[in-house]
Every structure is written in C-alpha cells, then in structure tokens.
Amino acid sequence: MKTPDRTLALPRDGQATGRPKPSLRARLLLMMAVVGPGIITANVDNDAGGITTYSVAGAHYGYSLLWMLGLVALALIIIQEMSARLGVVTGKGLADLIRERMGIRATLAIVGVLLIANLANTVSEFAGVAASMEIFGISKFISVPIVAVGVWLLIVKGSYKFVERIFLVASALYLTYVVSGIMANPPWAEVLQASVTPTFHFDSNYIIIVVTIIGTTIAPWMQFYQQASIVDKGLRVEDYAYERLDVIIGSVFAVVIAAFITIACAATLFKHGLQIETAKDAALGLGPLAGSNAAALFALGLLNASVFSAAILPLSTAYVVCEALGWEAGVNRNLKEAPVFFGVYTALIVLGAGIILLPIKSLIQAMLASQTLNGVLLPVILIAMLVLINDRELMGDYVNGRIFNIISWAMVVVLIGLTALLVITSVFPNFLT
Amino acid sequence: MHLLSQLLGRPVRGETNVPLGTLDDLVIRMEEGPYPSVTGLVVRAGRRRFFVPANQLRELSGVALLSSARVDLKQFQRREDEVLLGRDVLDHQIIDIAGHRVVRVNDIQITQVDANFRVVGVDTSLKAIVRRAGPRALADRIVGGQIIDWADLHYLAGTAPVRLKVSYDRLAELHPVDLARIVDALSLRESATIVAALDDETVAETLEEVSDSRLADLIEGMDQERAADILEEMDPGVAADVLEDLDDTVAEQLLAKMEPEEAAEIQTVLAYDEDSVGRIMITEIVRVAEGSTVGAALALLRSLDDVPNPLLAVYVVEQDQPETLRGIVRLRSLILADPATPLQELMDEDMPTIHPDAPAEQAARLLAEYNLLALPVIDDEEHLVGVVTVDDALAVLMPEIWQRRSSRMFH
C-alpha cells in the first residue's frame, strides 16, 4: 500500500464502514433522482388536445363528466404502473419488446398507426401554440415557426438533464389551471356532488367526448415515452418503489389539472350556455365571465402544454420507429449515422407546424380526430402491454397478479366497447336513438 | 441456403411423409466455432411443443423431413445453454462488429455444411422486413438483402433467458472509439453487461469516448471498487470530468476507494476550472536533470515502468529543483543525436508556455501558431506542472467532437 501523501476527501458520516440503512436524506435524494418520467409523462398528456377536450367537456356537459375523471385517474395509474414495471424489469423500451416478442407484422401495424396518430397529435400541439399566442395578439405565422425551430434546437442541441429540469419546471406551470378554475368561482358543493355521482347518456356526441377524454388522458404514445425514459435513466428493480410513487403522483396531478380545466369552463361557459369548439374559444369565453386574468392564465397554460408536448412527441415517435425497425437512433448521432431518426423527427415537426399554417378550416375536426385515433389505438397497445407483462420468461416474478389482471383486462374490454360504440355512432349517427 | 422466416411455421414430416406438426423453432448452441450448428427442432403439434434432435433431420426445404417417424412427444423444455433462433435471435438486437453498429436481426441465414445445418449470417435489410410482412406466396419474389456474416456478429448475452458464455475477445479488439459507439447505441443495461465483461484498461479507454451522460450512468451503476479501478486507468482530466458529473457523495466515495496517488492527481485537476488548461493538460511527463547526456536520457526512458503516451519530448529541469523547467528536447532530436551529446546542446529554451488557469482554447491557439506538438504548463510559482499536447487541444478546437460526447437524450 502506498501512503497518502496529500489530503483526500474522505467519505463523510463514516459511510465507508459497511452499508448502514439509508438515512432520510439519502432516501429523499434517491427519490429525487428517480422521480421524473412519471410526472413528466402524465403532464405531457394534458397537451393541447387534452385541454381542448376538457374545455369542451366542461362547456357542453358542465360538471356531469367529472365523476369519470376519478376512474380515468385509476386507469391511468394502472396502465402507467405496468409501463414502468415493464421498463424497470426488462430494461427495454416498449417498441423493442413488441418487436422481439410479437413479431414483425404486429410491430409494423402498431408503429404505422402510431406514426399517423402522432403526426395528428403534433399538428394539434402546434394548433395549441397558434391559438394561445393569438389570444396574446401574436400571429400564428410568427409564433408557430419560432416554436418549431426552438423545439428542434432544444432537443438536438440541449442536454437531457437540462431539458428534464425545464420540463419539471414547466410541469408546475400547469397549476395556472388550478388558479383559473378557482377564479371562475364554481359552486363547490355542486362540483363535489357531481364528482361522485355517475351519469351516462347514450348519444353519439356524449360517447365521443367520453372516448376522447380517455384517449387524450391515456394516450398510446405515453406508454412508449414513459417506458423509454425509465430505461434510459437506468432505473432498476430496486428503484421500483420510488418509480411507482412517481407514477401515482404524476397521474393524480394530471387528472386534478384536467378536473380544474373542466370546472373552469363549466362554471362559466356552461352556466351561460356558450358553445365552444377549441381551447382558444374557451380562453376567450372566460375573459368576460371570469376576468381577463383568468383568460390569460388559461392561455398561458395552453401555450406551456403545447410547447412541452411539441418537444417530446416527435422525438418519442422517432425513437419508436427506429427502435422497432432497427435503425440507429439518438440525438448524439449525426445525420449520416442516423438519417431515419433525424428524418422522422424533423418531418414530424415540419409537417406538424406546416399544416397549421395552411389555410384549412377544418383543423378542429383534425384535432378531435387525432384524439379519437388515440382512443382507437389504445386498446391495441394495452393488449400488447398485458401480453408482455404476463410473459413469465420476460418478467419472472414481476408478472401481473390475478386481481390486477382481472381489473386491467376488464378495463381493456370497456375501452374496446366504448371505441366500438364510437365507430358505430360515427358511421350510423342514429344508431343509439 | 435457407432463411429462417421461410422455415418457421412450415410442416414437419417423418419418414414416409407422416405429418408430425409444424416447425416452431430451431435450437442452436452458441459455443461451438464461428458458425453455430442447429442442435434440434422444436415442433408444434396442437398445443404441444416437442424436441427433435438435429441428427434426425434429413432435409430442410419447404418441409422439414425427418429420417424417422418416431419422436419423443415430451413437452419441450429449454436447457441452460440452448438458444432458440426464432425466439431469442430473430427480431432482436445484435452487434455488427465489423460495422461497429447495433443492428436488428430481420432474418437468419441457415445452410447445410456436411451433415450439419449451421447459422451463417443474418439479414438486416429493409427488404427482409418487407418479405416477412407480406403474404407468404410473394416472399420468394423479394430476393437479396444485406447479409452480415455470423462470424462478424456479437450476440448479446442478455438477450436469451438462459445463462450464456459469450466471448468478448472480438469486441475487446475494436478501437475504443468504435466500441464506444456501440456502448452508446445499446440500452444502458446491455452496455453495462459489456462493460462488466471487459478488462479495466479497455473499459477506461472506451469510456473516455462515450457520451458524458452514458458514462456517468455506467460508472454510477457499477460496483464502486470497479469504478475506482476504471477511473484510475483513465486520463485524470477525463476522470475529473466524470466525477464532476456524479453526485458529490458518490464522487467522494469513489475518490476514497482509489489509489491515493491517482486520487490526488485527479483532485489536482479538479481544482482547475472546466475548460481551463489545467483540465486538459497531461501531468505525466519525463523530467531529465540538467547536465545529463542524450544517452543517459534514453536510458532513463527505457528504465521507466510507465512511459507517458504520447511521448513527444523530455523536459530538462534544474539539477536539484525538478519543478523548474530549463528547456525541451524533442524526441526527434534525442533519437538522432549522438549518445554522448549533452542535452543542453539540443534543448529549446525559448519556447512559449501557458498558465494552468488560462482557457484551453488559448493553448490550442498557441500550439497552432507555433507549430508545436506540446506546450509546457507553468504555474504561478514558476513550476512545471504538465503539458498540453496537440491531441488534447484538437478536441477543444473541433466542437463537433465535443458535441458527440455531450449527451444522450431520452428515448
């Protein structure tokens, strides 16, 4: 042994001897290191399309859809927990697992639909950017290109830690909706009662909004994104308890925000019988009814959510495509090494932003259609996830328990039923009447 | 030549054409030679999957023809070292060693060599995907593809749910930059498996080229004793960068586990700002006392256990004050001169130097302006503390090299 000739930084608190039980501080630190994927993912799903959907739900159906959000939160937790468990146990992304365990045809079908759905979603994010900036009097011809270029540069040139920090801060900005909701001064007793009283109507608009709420809150692409960020963070089975907490906190937070958006619109627009089609209408409608501050906060929230999702969605999609089909991926590659990756990523941003700038009137339909497409794709993804998580060769002792399986399969059946109803009612509008 | 995708699901018949079931999978053993041979078939009949040893296989085209109709119908149970081609190789990631890439197996080529069927290559082309996705009747029309020889592939040990002995010799032979590219492209867990299998020196050289965040994740994820060993092997400047990216407590624990000498060296480097000369300089230099001859200097070099790499020059210092620089003798002059020549006659006394706190970029500029290979670093006390080589400076001047190292994104 050489003798130390210079001073050394020695471990503090005598941690060198054995491995004592981690202190509270150490556990908090570990938790801070693990937290992120769940919260960020849950928030990204309150994107421009989500905000539009919750606004429309509140404006057209008042508080009567609030009861559903509790169930949606439960479903969200169940699904995101499975996605987290898949990532933690296998160390692989969802696209990876689908390709390896389910073969090429299933992979191509899922990736194909996801690509279309995510393009539609990206369009709706840029629509959200355009709408929110227009409320502040800025033309979409200025705002959309700036955000598109900014987002592209942030992801390609920024570092992950930096971007994750920005996203966590941006998550806090969602609280603007809580403030908007409170400023709308809703009758709280009525809100609470509606939240626990289930009601259901068999008309096609109602079913569309129900499926759309599910499709936007539990989006297919989130499963890919969350699992990938867990894998990339290198979380292991030992971190799982913290990751589950991350998932639960994120899911509850996301649904609480959704509830406040619905409440804000119900307390004002629904009460005065105003019909809206977009989140922009909602913000504009809020102005005279709840004060211009409430409207500005609503618009700011929309801008934040849109930019946030416009940054993550195209990237996540590019990773999924390359992962599934075996092309090189990663922002630390150069264009020559990973042409498909950068191609898909750039194309989604360019198309997403470009379509918004075209003089097309039926954009709202396109946005709603993207959410409906999510709802249709979701059961497929869920079935794939359930098959994978019950694969003992893959998951070992971490397969689903019996009760968990019953609940999750029941959920998938309900979702498939709702989706089928949606498809039928859109083909035969008078089917239910 | 057969393609696995066109064999799976095809009928299996016994002697006299008795239908036995359909081909579910092919079993191979990894350890034998560069081209693993098929050791058996997994045949599906209804819900039952049973094993047929390869010595019963007579033909493998369109249908798999067995040499007898007697088979053991016992449910197939995978043994420890068996890999299933369809389940564990097809559609999985594999390392293309020659191309230093990570690719996905879109199809597998099997060929008959004497009595054995052997895996000879994998198809990674888009054509193979189209061939498999389309209807079977059209598959024959899609020919060609991009075949990689099996001998040029490294099968990832973690892919199959069995414990496998996989040789890492070929990977270890790769240039660190190429190996780093592979480590970056794999998932964190798979890259950790590879890092765990290679020796400290190879890992250290490789990790110096890996992206910062992957590097930090790998170091944090491994056993601390091993991490300390690897950091010791690294260039102190790079090791310092790594430690700075880690959690403070972890960094301190690692430093405490390192050899005191190496730890002290890293701490010296850590004292300098990021992007300063102190961070990129190398501290391992050869000092020769004033008054020595060329022969003595060469003898000294040969006697060293640890010769600095790159070795560009020797530094002539004062007899009893090895911190005070007198001049530089380039390796070229040293080799060409007569051994009896005193170093003073060869040494360059009037050369630019730089302060360790100066920006790294300034060192790069001086090196370029004066056409130097190395620049001595002299601190406030007029002590020689290290040199900046043109190698290290190049990385400062070429931002794209740094960009590659900068970071990975979530995916």
Side-chain angles (χ1 to χ4, degrees):
Chain A
M1 275 297 282
K2 294 168 192 166
T3 42
D5 55 347
R6 290 185 215 188
T7 44
L8 272 175
L10 283 167
R12 285 181 297 218
D13 310 335
Q15 279 179 6
T17 51
R19 191 166 266 203
K21 210 180 162 201
S23 64
L24 181 67
R25 182 172 162 269
R27 269 181 290 160
L28 277 176
L29 276 176
L30 181 60
M31 166 136 189
M32 289 303 289
V34 171
V35 157
I39 289 179
I40 291 176
T41 308
N43 276 301
V44 182
D45 86 74
N46 275 343
D47 58 355
I51 293 166
T52 306
T53 310
Y54 306 130
S55 305
V56 171
H60 293 187
Y61 296 96
Y63 308 111
S64 71
L65 281 164
L66 279 180
W67 67 271
M68 245 188 71
L69 291 179
L71 291 179
V72 168
L74 187 68
L76 191 61
I77 291 171
I78 289 175
I79 294 167
Q80 297 307 110
E81 187 277 331
M82 285 197 287
S83 142
R85 185 147 40 103
L86 275 170
V88 165
V89 175
T90 65
K92 286 179 179 172
L94 184 56
D96 229 335
L97 291 177
I98 288 177
R99 171 77 194 267
E100 289 174 3
R101 310 300 288 193
M102 309 181 89
I104 193 84
R105 290 191 183 142
T107 307
L108 286 177
I110 288 174
V111 169
V113 181
L114 190 76
L115 197 58
I116 299 169
N118 284 2
L119 173 61
N121 289 335
T122 310
V123 172
S124 86
E125 307 312 343
F126 281 106
V129 170
S132 55
M133 294 298 269
E134 273 169 7
I135 293 170
F136 297 114
I138 296 166
S139 156
K140 65 178 180 181
F141 293 100
I142 296 168
S143 62
V144 170
I146 288 177
V147 169
V149 172
V151 156
W152 195 89
L153 286 176
L154 176 73
I155 299 294
V156 174
K157 304 284 178 197
S159 85
Y160 175 59
K161 277 188 180 158
F162 174 68
V163 174
E164 191 179 68
R165 246 171 253 156
I166 289 189
F167 283 170
L168 279 173
V169 171
S171 295
L173 272 178
Y174 281 98
L175 292 172
T176 53
Y177 282 112
V178 176
V179 181
S180 292
I182 292 171
M183 284 168 89
N185 200 18
W188 290 107
E190 198 184 321
V191 170
L192 275 179
Q193 206 200 348
S195 307
V196 292
T197 319
T199 51
F200 201 83
H201 306 286
F202 277 97
D203 79 76
S204 71
N205 281 335
Y206 186 86
I207 289 168
I208 288 176
I209 202 87
V210 167
V211 174
T212 310
I213 284 176
I214 294 168
T216 184
T217 315
I218 310 169
W221 67 271
M222 291 165 56
Q223 320 312 321
F224 291 91
Y225 172 71
Q226 181 183 280
Q227 194 171 329
S229 45
I230 284 171
V231 169
D232 219 36
K233 247 190 155 178
L235 300 188
R236 301 147 191 254
V237 174
E238 301 93 76
D239 307 318
Y240 173 65
Y242 296 106
E243 186 45 46
R244 187 169 49 191
L245 199 61
D246 178 33
V247 163
I248 293 173
I249 294 172
S251 302
V252 170
F253 184 78
V255 172
V256 166
I257 299 299
F260 272 97
I261 296 170
T262 310
I263 291 169
C265 292
T268 50
L269 307 172
F270 178 70
K271 197 171 143 202
H272 292 85
L274 285 179
Q275 293 281 310
I276 61 161
E277 278 183 327
T278 64
K280 185 187 169 192
D281 296 347
L284 290 175
L286 273 180
L289 300 171
S292 58
N293 284 340
L297 279 176
F298 199 92
L300 188 64
L302 179 62
L303 177 67
N304 173 54
S306 307
V307 174
F308 198 82
S309 306
I312 290 183
L313 239 165
L315 186 70
S316 164
T317 315
Y319 270 115
V320 167
V321 171
C322 292
E323 198 175 273
L325 299 179
W327 285 303
E328 285 206 39
V331 285
N332 58 341
R333 304 269 164 227
N334 63 37
L335 189 61
K336 219 169 113 193
E337 290 167 340
V340 180
F341 175 76
F342 285 103
V344 172
Y345 174 63
T346 310
L348 279 172
I349 289 184
V350 169
L351 284 174
I355 290 173
I356 286 305
L357 298 181
L358 294 176
I360 299 173
K361 284 238 170 96
S362 52
L363 274 178
I364 303 121
Q365 255 87 31
M367 278 169 71
L368 276 174
S370 83
Q371 302 301 328
T372 313
L373 208 55
N374 281 344
V376 175
L377 181 60
L378 186 64
V380 180
I381 305 282
L382 290 184
I383 290 173
M385 284 174 67
L386 276 167
V387 168
L388 289 170
I389 207 153
N390 283 308
D391 186 335
R392 207 164 261 284
E393 212 172 70
L394 200 63
M395 299 296 291
D397 290 336
Y398 290 90
V399 293
N400 271 358
R402 187 195 297 255
I403 295 171
F404 202 98
N405 254 339
I406 294 173
I407 297 175
S408 41
W409 277 109
M411 211 167 63
V412 173
V413 170
V414 170
L415 283 178
I416 293 176
L418 282 172
T419 311
L421 263 180
L422 175 71
V423 173
I424 295 169
T425 48
S426 54
V427 180
F428 308 104
N430 300 322
F431 177 72
L432 292 166
T433 47
Chain B
M1 196 76 75
H2 310 283
L3 288 170
L4 182 73
S5 67
Q6 278 162 297
L7 297 173
L8 296 181
R10 289 295 166 95
V12 177
R13 292 173 195 276
E15 209 189 6
T16 67
N17 260 343
V18 199
L20 295 173
T22 54
L23 187 64
D24 190 65
D25 218 328
L26 291 176
V27 183
I28 58 164
R29 289 254 171 95
M30 282 297 179
E31 57 253 64
E32 29 179 315
Y35 302 102
S37 67
V38 174
T39 58
L41 291 68
V42 182
V43 181
R44 177 183 293 274
R47 293 195 65 175
R48 180 167 290 278
R49 287 165 81 224
F50 57 92
F51 179 78
V52 177
N55 58 19
Q56 283 193 35
L57 180 64
R58 225 170 54 192
E59 230 183 283
L60 195 61
S61 53
V63 289
L65 202 62
L66 305 184
S67 56
S68 93
R70 292 170 59 101
V71 288
D72 183 358
L73 287 175
K74 204 168 70 190
Q75 185 73 18
F76 171 70
Q77 283 270 330
R78 184 207 294 261
R79 277 178 298 186
E80 262 307 279
D81 50 356
E82 286 179 342
V83 172
L84 297 179
L85 271 187
R87 214 170 158 71
D88 308 330
V89 183
L90 188 65
D91 289 326
H92 286 258
Q93 283 190 319
I94 201 163
I95 296 175
D96 169 8
I97 299 176
H100 8 95
R101 291 176 304 160
V102 177
V103 293
R104 215 169 260 282
V105 178
N106 292 338
D107 215 334
I108 300 172
Q109 258 188 348
I110 297 160
T111 201
Q112 192 167 10
V113 186
D114 302 327
N116 291 324
F117 289 90
R118 287 184 184 276
V119 177
V120 290
V122 305
D123 192 339
T124 58
S125 68
L126 199 57
K127 264 185 183 173
I129 291 182
V130 176
R131 185 167 56 220
R132 288 173 57 202
R136 196 152 238 184
L138 295 179
D140 291 341
R141 299 207 185 171
I142 302 161
V143 287
Q146 196 179 351
I147 308 289
I148 302 174
D149 192 296
W150 185 270
D152 281 333
L153 293 169
H154 174 85
Y155 184 68
L156 294 160
T159 315
V162 288
R163 231 170 287 143
L164 283 180
K165 271 194 207 141
V166 178
S167 162
Y168 289 87
D169 296 352
R170 297 243 7 229
L171 280 185
E173 283 166 17
L174 280 177
H175 190 280
V177 172
D178 297 329
L179 191 51
R181 204 172 118 82
I182 291 169
V183 166
D184 257 335
L186 287 169
S187 76
L188 180 57
R189 206 167 291 186
E190 270 153 355
S191 62
T193 314
I194 290 183
V195 164
L198 299 173
D199 63 274
D200 291 349
E201 202 190 330
T202 312
V203 171
E205 282 172 356
T206 305
L207 292 191
E208 284 185 15
E209 309 295 336
V210 164
S211 67
D212 285 352
S213 59
R214 173 50 58 96
L215 173 53
D217 286 342
L218 283 170
I219 292 282
E220 250 167 32
M222 67 175 73
D223 174 61
Q224 289 205 337
E225 295 289 345
R226 172 109 215 265
D229 290 345
I230 291 168
L231 287 172
E232 280 169 16
E233 294 280 339
M234 279 187 178
D235 178 77
V238 181
D241 288 347
V242 177
L243 289 175
E244 262 191 347
D245 278 349
L246 299 177
D247 187 63
D248 287 351
T249 14
V250 177
E252 279 168 21
Q253 284 167 353
L254 287 177
L255 271 173
K257 287 201 162 63
M258 289 172 70
E259 293 288 340
E261 224 171 89
E262 316 269 359
E265 211 174 313
I266 293 178
Q267 284 192 317
T268 317
V269 178
L270 270 173
Y272 299 111
D273 282 348
E274 219 179 332
D275 303 323
S276 70
V277 165
R279 269 300 170 84
I280 62 164
M281 69 182 181
I282 53 174
T283 50
E284 279 188 330
I285 50 177
V286 179
R287 297 166 199 249
V288 189
E290 218 174 356
S292 311
T293 60
V294 166
L298 287 172
L300 173 74
L301 277 178
R302 288 185 188 116
S303 70
L304 287 177
D305 285 339
D306 213 4
V307 184
N309 188 17
L311 178 67
L312 302 166
V314 297
Y315 297 84
V316 181
V317 291
E318 272 184 21
Q319 189 80 46
D320 32 76
Q321 280 209 309
E323 290 87 19
T324 311
L325 179 67
R326 281 283 167 210
I328 300 174
V329 180
R330 296 197 185 193
L331 202 56
R332 182 176 184 276
S333 326
L334 204 60
I335 292 168
L336 295 178
D338 183 87
T341 319
L343 287 178
Q344 262 103 331
E345 284 180 23
L346 300 173
M347 80 184 184
D348 198 345
E349 287 167 87
D350 184 29
M351 66 280 167
T353 63
I354 196 157
H355 193 274
D357 286 334
E361 232 182 280
Q362 195 184 329
R365 215 171 301 128
L366 278 175
L367 282 164
E369 275 173 19
Y370 289 82
N371 279 327
L372 296 171
L373 292 174
L375 186 65
V377 183
I378 309 281
D379 69 5
D380 284 336
E381 291 154 40
E382 298 285 316
H383 288 168
L384 171 67
V385 290
V387 296
V388 177
T389 68
V390 71
D391 265 21
D392 300 316
L394 202 61
V396 180
L397 286 183
M398 301 185 74
E400 60 266 39
I401 294 179
W402 290 103
Q403 194 200 335
R404 171 183 284 284
R405 299 181 56 165
S406 72
S407 88
R408 282 171 62 84
M409 290 296 297
F410 40 91
H411 65 122

